[in-house]
Structure formats: C-alpha cells, structure tokens
C-alpha cells in the first residue's frame, strides 16, 4: 500500500492520474482499482482525503427528485443513490432513511408542490405524496406555525459525509492505487504523449488524466487549454445543534427550491445532531470557509420560522463549506480523447450521492480516450467504523469490549468515543494527519464541549502515534 505525504513522487509514469481526493475523485480511484493492470495515482493538495467540499456539506443521500429531468446530474444521482445505499450497507457507512418534507409556507409554494411531484416522477421518484397541513403537523409537531402543506419524499436519507470518501480511498489504496497527499498541482502540460503535472512535490507523469479538482477544476481545465466553465465558490454556512435538539425533528425539512439551490433546511444527522443551513453566497475567494455574523443571523431567522424550538437549543459547532457552482445547470463532465483527459467539473452538493455512478461514468469516458482498463476484479470489502447514533457504537458492544477493553474506555465523553476507536483510526490504512482528521474518523472532540474536556488526551494519543 502506498500513501505518501512528503518527498519526491515516483518517476515512472502512471496509466491514470486522478487529481482531487474528494468524494468524487476517491470514487473514481476506487473504480479504477477494479482493474489490476492499471497503475493509478490519486493526487490531493491537502493532507487528507475529503478535505474540500466533501467534508462540509449537508450530508444528504438524495433521491434526485428535484434534479432537472434528462440531465446528467439527474441520471447519476438516481443511479448513485442506489449504488451508495448498497455500498454503505456493505461497508458500514451510517445511513438513516428519514425522508424529507418539502414545506410550503405560502399559497404560491403550495401551488408549486404538484409540479414538484410531477418533476419527481419524471426523475423516477414515484413515491412522493402531497400532505395537507394537518398531516404535516402530525408528522412534525414542532414545525413553526403557518405551514400550508408539504410534499413527502420518503426516500431522502442522511448519511455520514466523512466516512464515505475515506471508505472509497481506503479501498482504492488497499487495491494498489497510490495516494499522494500534500501534492498541489501547479502546472499541467503534455510531453511525448503524456501528461506532466508540476506539483509542490515534483513532477508526476501519467498517460491519462482525470480532473476531479472540485473548486479548482476550471483552473486545471484552463491549464490544459479548455474554457468551458467557471467555478464560482458558493459558500454554505451551517449551524450544528446539540443532540438534545434531535427529538425536535423527524424528517429533513426543505423549503421549496429556488434558482440558488435547495435553500435553508433543517435536518437530523446520523451523528445525532440537527443541522440548520446552508446559506448560499456566491464569492470570489476559493478559500473563504469562515462563517459570518450576517450569515448566522440569517440562518437563525429562517430556523426560527421552520422550527422555533430549535433556537432554544445549544449550538455545538458552526462551519461553512464551498460548493463548486458554475454558470451551467448540469455537471460539467466530458472527455477530451485527443489529450487522454476527462474533466469532472461543476459537481455540486449532489456529488456525494452520485459519486459511485460518476465514477462508473468517468471510467467509460476514459475508454473513449483509448484507455484499455483490462480485466476487472471484485474488490475486497472494507468495513468502516460506525459513527452513526442509530447503530451500536463500540462502547455499547459487550463483545468488542470483552475482546479488547479499550473499546470500553471512553476518551471523548460527549461523543462516547473510546480508546479502541482512536487507536483503530491512528493505525488504519489512511491514518489522520491532523486532529481534525482524527475527529472525522472517530467524532472525538466533535461534541458539545468541542474538546474542552478530552482535547489534551486526544492530542496526546495523536502525538504518540505520529512517526
């Protein structure tokens, strides 16, 4: 297994290099790993997988009910939802099928619901149902006053956004993909029919190139002579409410969508919290992941209308993520056969859901560039640590504790994270390179005290494990 984070890169050319180890890039690397004849590199600018858009989204496994019918996004979200649900069950990624309610707050929104139901049907989502106000409030008794009705989409689910890219990358690395972290691509060109990427760690050569660089996909595209789209970072700020708020909401509560997206939602998380957000702010800065007073004020105002009692609960975390919005309504995925190059751009918040279908689609496009992937094989399944509250955690499993008492030793009491889980993360195929990486693998320091009580102990364990 090859995972590097410093030093020069291998000099021998790869058959395929995938730039960007977010959920989409990691899924593509995993798909390529099914073909043992290929020599594949997964290149990431940051020190961990899933560090960009993938780590800060609303963590919803979409049905694709509101996608543009006939679009590439609609097809891949629909296929990807099925694939990811099956993959999650196999690999232990927590998923809860809570369903969504698209809530109408005025007569215009109420009148739009049948049209949205028809759109859902056009996207092969046939189990939606219109609810009147009485049934809506019966389902969500803490909903704010004034809602007139809703569209129920029972297939919408919540999923762990951190475990998914980690599972893909772990499986890819275990099957021979080379993962190079801290490896930012600064220039791209071609020489002797091969791609030459100038990175912060030297030159990387590859016969085929996949651009899954997320917020920077248009930049890499232009280095290769294409000007098909421009990424406009769309910031989404979110509030995370404490677990005491979890009984207040049973479904994902969505507004009627606008041109800027799905709007502000209230949603339970698989980690037992409640999310309020995101905002939708188009920016120029591709690193502006800070929260703002105005943004949080806006969220609270909208949250007060949707679920007033939520505002009385404690906020445990605030975060912001950037989505790779473009001037186009659809994903920007295309092959450039003459260059042996595939662009995977404009992948917005649905990319988590569509990731596995996108990976299959990209593999097909690579063959259009002349790549012969050779025979395929089944991948050995991975089993990821359970971070979901709806499933038994290690501290709740006498069998694990009997086998290893470290699973009965709590380190992070807010999130019930045990010494055994932290040890597993620190000795895993892709160990964390930072305390934040350890948090995404275990939930340690993610609870209501945000590491005030366990921080020193967690840091000591992390430092002890560093090479």
């Amino acid at each position: 297994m090859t995972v590097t984070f410093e030093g020069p890169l291998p000099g021998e050319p790869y058959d395929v290099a995938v730039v960007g180890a977010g959920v989409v890039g990691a899924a593509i690397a995993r798909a390529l790993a099914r073909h043992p004849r290929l020599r594949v590199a997964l290149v990431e600018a940051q020190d961990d997988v899933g560090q960009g858009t993938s780590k800060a989204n609303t963590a919803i496994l979409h049905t694709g009910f509101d996608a543009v019918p006939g679009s590439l996004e609609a097809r891949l979200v629909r296929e990807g939802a099925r694939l990811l649900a099956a993959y999650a069950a196999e690999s232990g990624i927590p998923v809860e099928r809570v369903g969504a309610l698209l809530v109408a707050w005025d007569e215009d929104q109420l009148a739009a619901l049948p049209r949205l139901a028809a759109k859902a049907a056009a996207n092969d989502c046939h189990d939606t149902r219109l609810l009147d106000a009485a049934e809506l409030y019966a389902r969500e008794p803490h909903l704010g006053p004034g809602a007139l009705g809703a569209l129920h989409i029972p297939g919408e689910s919540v999923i762990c956004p951190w475990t998914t890219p980690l599972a893909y990358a772990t499986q890819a690395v275990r099957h021979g993909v080379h993962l190079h972290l801290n490896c930012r691509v600064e220039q791209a060109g071609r020489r002797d029919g091969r791609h030459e990427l100038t990175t912060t760690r030297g030159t990387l050569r590859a016969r085929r190139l996949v651009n899954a660089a997320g917020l920077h996909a248009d930049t890499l595209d232009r280095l290769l002579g294409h000007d098909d789209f421009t990424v406009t970072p769309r910031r989404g700020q979110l509030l995370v409410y404490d677990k005491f708020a979890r009984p207040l909401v049973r479904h994902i509560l969505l507004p009627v969508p606008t041109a800027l997206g799905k709007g502000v939602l209230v949603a339970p998380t698989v980690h037992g919290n409640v999310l309020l957000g995101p905002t939708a702010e188009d920016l120029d800065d591709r690193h502006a992941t800070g929260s703002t007073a105005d943004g949080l004020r806006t969220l609270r105002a909208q949250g007060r209308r949707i679920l007033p009692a939520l505002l009385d609960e404690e906020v445990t975390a605030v975060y912001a993520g950037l989505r790779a919005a473009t001037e186009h309504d659809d994903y920007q995925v295309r092959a450039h056969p003459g260059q042996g190059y595939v662009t995977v751009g404009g992948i917005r918040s649905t990319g988590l859901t569509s990731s596995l279908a996108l990976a299959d689609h990209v593999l097909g496009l690579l063959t259009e560039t002349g790549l012969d992937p050779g025979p395929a094989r089944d991948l050995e399944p991975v089993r990821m640590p359970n971070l979901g509250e709806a499933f038994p955690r290690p501290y709740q499993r006498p069998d694990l504790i009997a086998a290893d008492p470290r699973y009965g030793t709590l380190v992070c009491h807010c999130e019930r994270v045990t010494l055994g889980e932290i040890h597993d993360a620190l000795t895993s195929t892709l160990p964390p390179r930072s305390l934040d990486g350890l948090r995404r693998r275990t939930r340690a320091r993610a609870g209501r005290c945000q590491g005030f009580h366990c921080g020193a102990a967690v840091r000591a364990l992390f430092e002890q494990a560093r090479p």
Side-chain angles (χ1 to χ4, degrees), residues 398-438:
D399 58 326
L400 279 183
I401 296 169
D404 186 341
R406 289 179 296 186
Y407 293 111
T409 304
L410 290 178
V411 178
C412 172
H413 288 255
C414 294
E415 294 295 299
R416 305 290 194 269
V417 181
T418 67
L419 181 60
E421 291 167 276
I422 292 174
H423 174 266
D424 289 347
L426 293 171
T427 57
S428 63
T429 301
L430 301 180
R433 300 286 306 161
S434 67
L435 288 172
D436 282 346
L438 181 59

Side-chain angles (χ1 to χ4, degrees), residues 342-353:
V342 176
T343 305
V344 190
I347 310 302
R348 295 163 296 199
S349 60
T350 54
L352 173 61
T353 301

Side-chain angles (χ1 to χ4, degrees), residues 86-142:
Y87 183 77
E90 174 189 278
S91 56
I93 298 169
V95 174
E96 291 185 54
R97 195 173 189 267
V98 293
L101 294 171
L102 196 65
V103 180
W105 294 97
D106 59 38
E107 292 292 344
D108 288 342
Q109 293 177 6
L110 187 66
L113 294 183
R115 174 175 52 79
L116 289 164
K119 188 177 186 180
N123 284 316
D124 279 346
C125 184
H126 299 286
D127 56 353
T128 65
R129 193 165 70 85
L130 295 171
L131 307 181
D132 61 21
E135 190 169 1
L136 171 59
Y137 280 98
R139 286 178 174 271
E140 288 290 352
H142 297 284

Side-chain angles (χ1 to χ4, degrees), residues 99-448:
L101 294 171
L102 196 65
V103 180
W105 294 97
D106 59 38
E107 292 292 344
D108 288 342
Q109 293 177 6
L110 187 66
L113 294 183
R115 174 175 52 79
L116 289 164
K119 188 177 186 180
N123 284 316
D124 279 346
C125 184
H126 299 286
D127 56 353
T128 65
R129 193 165 70 85
L130 295 171
L131 307 181
D132 61 21
E135 190 169 1
L136 171 59
Y137 280 98
R139 286 178 174 271
E140 288 290 352
H142 297 284
L143 195 67
L148 304 179
L151 180 67
H152 182 214
I153 309 103
E156 294 279 300
S157 306
V158 292
I159 186 170
C160 179
W162 303 329
T163 313
T164 307
L166 185 62
Y168 295 162
T170 296
Q171 208 169 18
V173 167
R174 287 180 182 174
H175 289 83
V177 170
H178 291 191
L179 173 61
H180 300 301
L181 301 169
N182 294 324
C183 191
R184 183 182 304 282
V185 175
E186 297 182 324
Q187 290 293 331
R190 283 176 65 79
R191 179 178 296 179
D192 299 329
R194 293 172 182 164
H195 293 276
E196 278 199 359
L197 302 179
T198 303
T199 81
T200 48
R201 293 179 49 197
T203 301
L204 184 141
R205 297 176 179 83
R207 298 179 181 86
R208 301 287 187 282
L209 179 63
V210 176
N211 171 5
L215 290 166
H216 305 282
D218 59 338
T219 304
L220 180 54
D221 220 35
R222 289 193 174 97
L223 289 175
L224 290 160
H226 305 286
D227 191 14
D228 297 327
F229 63 94
T230 298
V231 172
T232 300
R234 183 168 293 166
R235 181 166 60 188
Q237 301 183 48
L238 296 106
L239 292 163
V240 183
Y241 283 86
D242 193 22
K243 297 179 195 307
F244 289 122
R246 180 65 181 82
L248 294 176
V249 59
R250 301 170 182 173
H251 304 76
I252 303 163
L253 302 179
L254 302 169
V256 174
T258 69
L260 278 178
K262 295 180 172 61
V264 172
L265 58 82
V266 174
T269 77
V270 294
H271 308 136
N273 302 92
V274 177
L275 281 182
L276 170 62
T279 57
E281 311 156 55
D282 287 346
L283 307 174
D284 296 323
D285 186 349
R286 303 186 186 210
H287 304 280
T289 55
S291 57
T292 66
D294 282 346
L296 301 183
R297 191 179 304 114
T298 299
L299 288 181
R300 288 194 177 95
Q302 297 194 45
R304 185 171 290 109
R305 181 181 193 187
I306 300 168
L307 205 67
L310 184 63
L311 276 294
D312 296 330
E313 298 294 336
E314 295 179 358
V315 173
T316 60
V318 175
Y319 68 92
L322 297 173
R323 290 103 87 185
T326 74
E327 67 273 38
H328 303 285
D329 291 332
D330 204 355
Y331 291 168
Q332 298 300 297
V333 183
R334 53 182 63 103
H336 304 282
Q339 291 180 300
Y341 170 55
V342 176
T343 305
V344 190
I347 310 302
R348 295 163 296 199
S349 60
T350 54
L352 173 61
T353 301
S354 63
S355 52
L356 289 175
L358 256 170
D360 290 343
H361 182 64
V362 168
L363 189 59
L365 293 178
L366 280 169
T367 63
E368 292 181 13
T369 71
L371 176 73
D372 176 8
R377 60 181 170 182
D378 292 332
L379 300 179
E380 289 293 323
V382 292
R383 193 67 187 171
M384 304 305 292
N386 168 41
L387 303 187
E389 281 295 292
F391 312 92
R393 299 276 306 285
Y395 78 93
Q396 297 169 311
R397 294 183 52 185
D399 58 326
L400 279 183
I401 296 169
D404 186 341
R406 289 179 296 186
Y407 293 111
T409 304
L410 290 178
V411 178
C412 172
H413 288 255
C414 294
E415 294 295 299
R416 305 290 194 269
V417 181
T418 67
L419 181 60
E421 291 167 276
I422 292 174
H423 174 266
D424 289 347
L426 293 171
T427 57
S428 63
T429 301
L430 301 180
R433 300 286 306 161
S434 67
L435 288 172
D436 282 346
L438 181 59
R439 176 174 53 84
R440 290 192 297 274
R441 286 161 174 80
T442 63
R443 286 173 43 186
R445 299 168 55 250
R448 65 179 61 93

